[in-house]
Amino acid sequence: ADGGSAAVAVTGSDGMGGAVNLRTRRPGAASAFALSGGVGAFGERQGTATLSEQYGPLQGTALITYQAADGDYPYVDETLFPPQTVRRTNADREQLALYATARYTGERQQTRVAGWYSTAERGLPGTATSPSSGERQWDEQLRLWVDHERPLPGGTLSVGGAVQQSRLRYVNRDLGLDETGRTLTSTITTELRRALYNRWLVVGGLEGQYARARHPSLTADAREGQAGAFVSGTGQYGTLALYPAARVDVYVPAGGTATVAMSPRLGLNLQPLGTRSPWYVKASAGRSFRQPTLNDRF
């Protein structure tokens, strides 16, 4: 990204050092089927199947992937006397993931729905110098989201929402632990992109989020809400590009006091020797704020 881009304004407080936009695979215009697999050392195996299809304005893609490994590799344990070659135990893992998406494209709008499910089991072998305690972990996630986009005079309006439910079970028989934690997060966003005066591209939007965590070690559910508004721009004046941005966030933890945070930023990108020159001068200044997430706190 350009040195002046203000990722924190658009993506929120976790974008202080920049942001990488990862987008899931979208349906294509042609029918396609792909199948791949592989095996490796220490019981490693994997496979993926992908199917894409189109029926008029409706396009869809489905994917299933499987990964597993025994993880029983040998290594030299130098804490033993004399040092001995031992084999790693309880380092196995197995994961299955399903993903599906469908997109409807009309004359002046586009709607996409998608879902993702993942389940995994893994052993936790501990340190290499101590015997395995037989710790195990099970992870399960389900995520559903929808996006709608339509053009407006001079710009584009996007509205989207998502909900994700996660479950993590941890077992340690040596400590007599068998605990399951659950989290629920939901978010809704709206974003408007508009070109102004043939020099500026302005992006503004609103978003809201609700999160809840539930675990046997908590006396009550942990809950928090968050709302944010942001605006950012890209302006071009010959060899000078400007990147102003601002964001305001309101955080409301359960039973706590609401926190309001401002995150302004201004960046520039200058080619002092002309547009054909490979030399750039970049600078940015701003203020960032980060509220601890449920994962940070619990």
Side-chain angles (χ1 to χ4, degrees):
D2 291 310
S5 64
V8 70
V10 178
T11 63
S13 57
D14 288 328
M16 289 186 293
V20 177
N21 186 14
L22 301 178
R23 303 183 67 88
T24 53
R25 183 168 183 172
R26 292 173 177 261
S31 301
F33 175 75
L35 182 66
S36 63
V39 295
F42 313 116
E44 182 178 355
R45 59 266 188 202
Q46 58 181 319
T48 301
T50 306
L51 174 65
S52 295
E53 192 60 77
Q54 179 178 6
Y55 298 96
L58 183 64
Q59 299 170 324
T61 295
L63 178 145
I64 180 171
T65 181
Y66 173 81
Q67 296 179 340
D70 296 334
D72 55 346
Y73 56 86
Y75 66 97
V76 177
D77 188 347
E78 297 187 353
T79 63
L80 301 176
F81 185 80
Q84 300 180 21
T85 297
V86 298
R87 186 167 290 273
R88 194 68 156 161
T89 60
N90 198 43
D92 60 297
R93 57 180 174 83
E94 186 175 29
Q95 181 180 25
L96 175 68
L98 306 172
Y99 168 75
T101 181
R103 181 176 62 184
Y104 173 82
T105 304
E107 293 183 1
R108 294 185 54 81
Q109 59 185 352
Q110 178 177 283
T111 302
R112 187 171 76 102
V113 296
W116 171 73
Y117 173 77
S118 174
T119 180
E121 179 184 354
R122 58 177 56 86
L124 305 176
T127 64
T129 58
S130 61
S132 172
S133 62
E135 296 173 87
R136 307 290 295 178
Q137 180 174 306
W138 290 261
D139 300 88
E140 188 176 29
Q141 294 90 27
L142 173 64
R143 181 178 178 88
L144 305 171
W145 66 97
V146 59
D147 298 303
H148 179 74
E149 182 178 295
R150 63 183 307 140
L152 295 176
T156 304
L157 176 66
S158 301
V159 180
V163 60
Q164 176 169 315
Q165 187 169 6
S166 303
R167 182 179 68 89
L168 188 152
R169 180 189 176 198
Y170 170 77
V171 174
N172 186 325
R173 293 185 174 85
D174 288 355
L175 299 179
L177 293 177
D178 187 348
E179 298 181 337
T180 300
R182 294 176 171 84
T183 61
L184 173 68
T185 59
S186 58
T187 181
I188 183 169
T189 61
T190 179
E191 181 179 290
L192 176 64
R193 293 176 175 266
R194 189 180 181 92
L196 296 176
Y197 309 116
N198 297 322
R199 291 184 181 273
W200 285 90
L201 174 63
V202 179
V203 180
L206 303 170
E207 67 178 32
Q209 186 177 89
Y210 170 79
R212 184 193 70 200
R214 181 174 297 169
H215 192 269
S217 63
L218 301 175
T219 57
D221 291 353
R223 305 173 187 267
E224 66 178 19
Q226 178 260 330
F230 61 88
V231 61
S232 67
T234 301
Q236 190 71 43
Y237 293 89
T239 60
L240 175 65
L242 298 175
Y243 304 94
R247 181 183 177 95
V248 58
D249 287 288
V250 180
Y251 295 88
V252 186
T257 303
T259 301
V260 180
M262 289 289 298
S263 302
R265 182 170 293 271
L266 176 63
L268 64 86
N269 189 332
L270 175 66
Q271 292 178 277
L273 302 181
T275 57
R276 296 187 178 182
S277 170
W279 300 98
Y280 294 84
V281 176
K282 300 183 179 183
S284 66
R287 179 178 183 271
S288 298
F289 172 83
R290 183 179 185 276
Q291 179 81 359
T293 65
L294 287 177
N295 283 340
D296 294 332
R297 294 162 53 201
F298 304 102

